[in-house]
Amino acid sequence: QVQLVESGGGLVQAGGSLRLSCAASGRTSSMYRMGWFRQAPGKEREFVAAITWSGGYAYYADSVKGRFTISRDNAKKMVYLQMNSLKPEDTAVYYCAADSGILGSYDYWGQGTQVTVSS
């Protein structure tokens, strides 16, 4: 089992920045990749960014490319999402997720953290 706890959400003005953190615990040594997803009110959850646990290969949704940066600290079992140049449309609950590589999809999820960007 893997447990994920997000933090760092809040209210920020458009153009501002926030850094989300995700603390992982449990059997993290076998994790293949970590990801961030978000869900806005009335919309489906969407992919934001992901990073492989060992090689650190990162990839992003087109909507955040160039503004968001995902990173990880293997020793601390932490994953971060640095969000710059925030827009009102980035407002959502952001979720951290872990893919163990067994199912081919993300099989562990955090509880989410709210990000609100005011115009």
Side-chain angles (χ1 to χ4, degrees):
Q1 287 290 330
V2 174
Q3 295 77 41
L4 304 172
V5 178
E6 304 97 334
S7 61
L11 173 64
V12 64
Q13 288 188 334
S17 298
L18 279 176
R19 188 175 86 151
L20 304 183
S21 299
C22 175
S25 60
R27 300 182 64 180
T28 60
S29 60
S30 60
M31 286 297 105
Y32 167 58
R33 60 180 174 173
M34 302 291 292
W36 286 97
F37 291 76
R38 67 186 182 187
Q39 187 168 20
K43 295 187 177 181
E44 293 188 354
R45 185 171 58 196
E46 64 175 359
F47 169 78
V48 175
I51 188 166
T52 57
W53 198 243
S54 60
Y57 175 74
Y59 46 102
Y60 302 89
D62 288 342
S63 59
V64 306
K65 204 171 293 183
R67 299 189 297 123
F68 291 10
T69 302
I70 188 171
S71 60
R72 89 268 189 257
D73 185 328
N74 290 24
K76 295 182 179 179
K77 298 183 181 181
M78 296 290 295
V79 179
Y80 306 99
L81 186 68
Q82 177 67 43
M83 306 186 295
N84 298 328
S85 302
L86 283 162
K87 304 175 182 180
E89 52 263 44
D90 293 319
T91 295
V93 177
Y94 283 71
Y95 297 91
C96 176
D99 177 1
S100 65
I102 297 174
L103 301 177
S105 61
Y106 291 89
D107 36 4
Y108 300 101
W109 295 84
Q111 83 288 350
T113 185
Q114 176 70 47
V115 171
T116 303
V117 184
S118 63
S119 58

